[in-house]
Amino acid sequence: MAAPMKSWSLLGASKRVLIKTGFEHFHMGLSGSSSNSLPKLLKCVPSMSIWRRNFGQPAPQTHPHLLKEGEVTPGITKSEYEERRNMLVRSAVNSSPVKESVKSHIMIFPSASKTYMTKDIPYPFRQNTEFLYLCGFKEPDSVLVLECDILNKKINHKSVLFVPGKDPEKELWDGLRSGNTGSLQITGVSEAYNIEELGNYFNNYCKRHREYVVWYCFGAPPHKHFHEGIIGDFLKQSYNKPKEDTRQGVQKLQLIKSPAEIELMKTSIEIASQAFQNVIPFSYSGINEHHLYAKMDFECRIRNAQILAYPPVVADLLCLLFTGGNRANIIHYVNNDQLIKDGELVLMDAGCEYHGYSSDLTRTWPVSGKFTSSQRALYDAILHVQELCISMCTSDFSLDDIYFHMLRLLGIELQKLGLIPASLTKDQLIVKARAFCPHHVSHYLGMDIHDTADISRSIKLQDGMVVTIEPGVYIPKNSMDVPDEFKGIGIRIEDDILITSSEPVVLSASCPKQADEIEALFRH
């Protein structure tokens, strides 16, 4: 995996400038040339500056095609990150049960750490969502601290970032680091220091403050090493101080998307929608599920998604004519290693991540390009239920409201198809429907697929939320009380919905889902 250092012979074999990329400045060794010739040599590499700072993540200076001036991450500015921190501090202070007696607060947000699949070989790094949401810094092994004091009823706070220091040897192998100076320039936090100084910072904080509230992700610490080390030591020092968990406060902010976030989500969802348009007709009788996984990955990345948002579910759905497999009836089936036979349906649940924001779609289609009559009947019934549920995505309803309505609607449709008895009470109907659809109809969507997971689905929807709507029906092959033509079939249809002050907006509208539209893809 190691690669030789690049060198460029600028003035022939006797005069060589070795530019070691990846460092804060470039070291140059000149053979047979005087220092007076240096300006002339540098003219040979006009695009490089000897003092040019390199960062550990894209910045406007290094990636102008991705970021505009003032942005920390694509589409999100320093001022927006600062406002997030401001809102969080205000909310935390005002909601604190000891706000009248304790006037100081310290909020601690660790980054994620690298994880390794084997020695020296890391998994692709994904930043801790809370940390990323509040500062936009993408390097591992860092900590954001928000320090707040209330003076004369006025909330004063500062944001302090602790990051891995510049280290040419480690950067040679692991990639660039921003260091404290670079991270301060990128993020716009109040102060930035090397991570080694975090312990001294905590000690000084304890000396300066007699009483304070500690805010931290106590339930699920994101960085084990810090939790058992530097942060753990501070928590022990603060054993008798009031403590609050950070998750609810951050997630309440994340739940309502800003205009900039909505634009990023629109792009992420549109990328996945377009990808599906090419993946669906790519399928054919005998194709391996893994090939569809690979096709989805390619189609998303070629449209500038960074990664798939999660391992796609790719499963075939069997009608009575075939005896193999029953994989679509595993809700989160991710093995993706079987062949899909003629006459079967394909269920794909997939999405991508675009600059930190996720999409989440599901489509079901016939591998041969044509639904059978029983497949079409069940598919149209589920689609009808989904469209009615989407119409409920307004501030009048919660996700739980939509879920229970979905069960009733689904039960009625299944009765029409003869899949459940016609003579049932309302409660019996819901119980029967839940047996065919064992999952909720929706979840919040954002930086994570199951975004803001600690926020209740019983609250009313609000302008700026993004949610999924995904009814499904899964009928095991060994079902004894359903018509034979439906055994082994599983269908789910999922779209991403933006809640507005008027009507819901289907952000994935460009992804075909009408049965005729899906079949038409195979004819083009």
Side-chain angles (χ1 to χ4, degrees):
M1 294 178 65
M5 188 175 294
K6 295 180 179 180
S7 64
W8 290 267
S9 179
L10 300 179
L11 295 179
S14 63
K15 296 183 179 180
R16 177 166 294 180
V17 179
L18 186 62
I19 303 177
K20 299 197 292 184
T21 59
F23 299 114
E24 196 166 334
H25 61 274
F26 301 107
H27 171 73
M28 296 191 171
L30 305 178
S31 175
S33 61
S34 67
S35 59
N36 293 334
S37 63
L38 185 59
K40 182 178 179 181
L41 289 173
L42 290 180
K43 291 180 181 178
C44 300
V45 282
S47 63
M48 296 185 181
S49 166
I50 193 168
W51 298 115
R52 174 182 172 183
R53 167 169 287 281
N54 290 290
F55 302 103
Q57 67 187 66
Q61 302 94 316
T62 60
H63 293 69
H65 58 291
L66 292 180
L67 295 100
K68 298 176 183 177
E69 194 63 37
E71 291 181 345
V72 181
T73 54
I76 309 294
T77 62
K78 290 180 183 179
S79 60
E80 180 158 336
Y81 281 107
E82 183 178 14
E83 180 57 22
R84 291 174 181 178
R85 296 190 292 269
N86 290 341
M87 289 191 296
L88 178 63
V89 168
R90 290 196 298 267
S91 173
V93 169
N94 291 330
S95 65
S96 173
V98 295
K99 63 181 178 181
E100 298 302 327
S101 57
V102 181
K103 303 300 182 181
S104 296
H105 299 254
I106 183 168
M107 310 183 78
I108 306 168
F109 300 93
S111 73
S113 60
K114 278 188 177 181
T115 57
Y116 292 82
M117 61 183 77
T118 186
K119 182 176 174 57
D120 298 330
I121 308 299
Y123 286 105
F125 177 72
R126 188 179 190 275
Q127 189 58 280
N128 174 38
T129 300
E130 276 191 358
F131 178 87
L132 184 63
Y133 180 78
L134 291 171
C135 67
F137 194 63
K138 294 185 176 181
E139 296 181 37
D141 305 323
S142 304
V143 175
L144 174 69
V145 177
L146 302 183
E147 184 180 326
C148 167
D149 293 294
I150 305 171
L151 300 173
N152 300 321
K153 298 184 178 181
K154 182 179 180 181
I155 300 174
N156 300 296
H157 81 277
K158 65 177 180 178
S159 50
V160 188
L161 191 58
F162 295 86
V163 304
K166 298 291 290 183
D167 186 328
E169 180 64 24
K170 290 184 178 179
E171 289 179 71
L172 177 64
W173 292 99
D174 299 331
L176 302 177
R177 293 180 177 183
S178 301
N180 59 328
T181 305
S183 62
L184 188 65
Q185 184 178 351
I186 288 173
T187 63
V189 294
S190 308
E191 301 171 13
Y193 303 98
N194 289 342
I195 189 66
E196 289 79 10
E197 299 178 54
L198 181 58
N200 289 333
Y201 177 89
F202 282 145
N203 290 334
N204 290 331
Y205 185 87
C206 291
K207 291 176 183 178
R208 290 186 288 112
H209 297 81
R210 290 174 57 88
E211 296 295 331
Y212 52 88
V213 181
V214 180
W215 297 77
Y216 179 61
C217 187
F218 292 99
H223 197 295
K224 181 180 179 182
H225 177 70
F226 287 163
H227 181 69
E228 294 176 351
I230 303 173
I231 295 176
D233 291 342
F234 173 70
L235 296 177
K236 290 175 184 177
Q237 283 182 279
S238 309
Y239 73 95
N240 61 343
K241 308 302 182 187
K243 296 176 177 62
E244 298 287 345
D245 199 286
T246 56
R247 285 174 293 182
Q248 275 281 334
V250 178
Q251 290 182 22
K252 285 179 181 178
L253 297 179
Q254 288 179 263
L255 188 61
I256 307 300
K257 308 301 185 284
S258 70
E261 290 181 291
I262 290 171
E263 289 305 311
L264 289 167
M265 294 203 68
K266 284 180 178 178
T267 302
S268 178
I269 295 164
E270 183 60 23
I271 288 172
S273 298
Q274 291 180 14
F276 263 106
Q277 293 181 45
N278 287 342
V279 172
I280 291 172
F282 180 76
S283 57
Y284 54 87
S285 177
I287 193 172
N288 193 303
E289 294 165 345
H290 187 68
H291 294 173
L292 293 177
Y293 180 143
K295 178 68 169 173
M296 187 69 186
D297 192 12
F298 170 80
E299 294 292 344
C300 287
R301 289 177 187 264
I302 205 68
R303 291 171 170 81
N304 295 322
Q306 283 71 55
I307 56 173
L308 291 179
Y310 52 95
V313 173
V314 184
D316 67 80
L317 313 157
L318 305 172
C319 68
L320 182 64
L321 297 175
F322 296 93
T323 58
N326 195 28
R327 297 176 297 285
N329 293 311
I330 302 173
I331 305 302
H332 285 167
Y333 168 84
V334 293
N335 288 349
N336 302 328
D337 57 4
Q338 279 287 2
L339 302 180
I340 304 174
K341 302 172 185 177
D342 189 34
E344 297 175 355
L345 296 175
V346 180
L347 183 153
M348 176 177 278
D349 185 334
C352 65
E353 197 169 286
Y354 179 77
H355 297 308
Y357 289 83
S358 299
S359 49
D360 184 9
L361 306 178
T362 304
R363 290 295 183 264
T364 307
W365 67 90
V367 69
S368 62
K370 183 72 175 178
F371 288 96
T372 66
S373 58
S374 55
Q375 291 168 352
R376 176 70 179 257
L378 184 56
Y379 185 92
D380 285 345
I382 296 169
L383 181 59
H384 178 61
V385 170
Q386 194 222 22
E387 290 173 337
L388 291 175
C389 289
I390 289 174
S391 70
M392 295 178 66
C393 290
T394 69
S395 58
D396 294 327
F397 301 99
S398 68
L399 295 184
D400 282 345
D401 291 334
I402 299 172
Y403 170 59
F404 288 111
H405 192 61
M406 180 273 290
L407 290 175
R408 188 180 69 82
L409 292 171
L410 193 60
I412 293 170
E413 293 297 323
L414 294 176
Q415 284 179 322
K416 292 177 182 177
L417 294 172
L419 290 166
I420 59 178
S423 55
L424 295 174
T425 67
K426 181 179 178 180
D427 289 342
Q428 290 173 330
L429 184 68
I430 289 176
V431 170
K432 282 288 187 180
R434 187 181 285 118
F436 284 91
C437 183
H439 58 77
H440 204 286
V441 73
S442 181
H443 57 80
Y444 304 114
L445 183 65
M447 296 178 74
D448 294 328
I449 287 297
H450 291 172
D451 203 49
T452 60
D454 294 307
I455 301 295
S456 171
R457 286 187 270 203
S458 65
I459 64 172
K460 299 298 183 183
L461 296 174
Q462 300 173 53
D463 184 7
M465 290 181 178
V466 179
V467 302
T468 65
I469 293 294
E470 48 182 305
V473 168
Y474 315 93
I475 307 172
K477 281 194 307 172
N478 59 359
S479 295
M480 301 300 294
D481 53 354
V482 300
D484 286 346
E485 64 266 25
F486 292 107
K487 291 181 178 180
I489 292 181
I491 295 171
R492 182 162 70 249
I493 307 170
E494 177 181 18
D495 283 293
D496 300 339
I497 315 299
L498 171 65
I499 310 303
T500 73
S501 57
S502 54
E503 296 181 346
V505 178
V506 182
L507 298 179
S508 49
S510 67
C511 187
K513 66 177 178 180
Q514 299 292 331
D516 289 340
E517 293 175 336
I518 289 173
E519 291 181 350
L521 290 174
F522 287 85
R523 298 194 294 268
H524 295 153

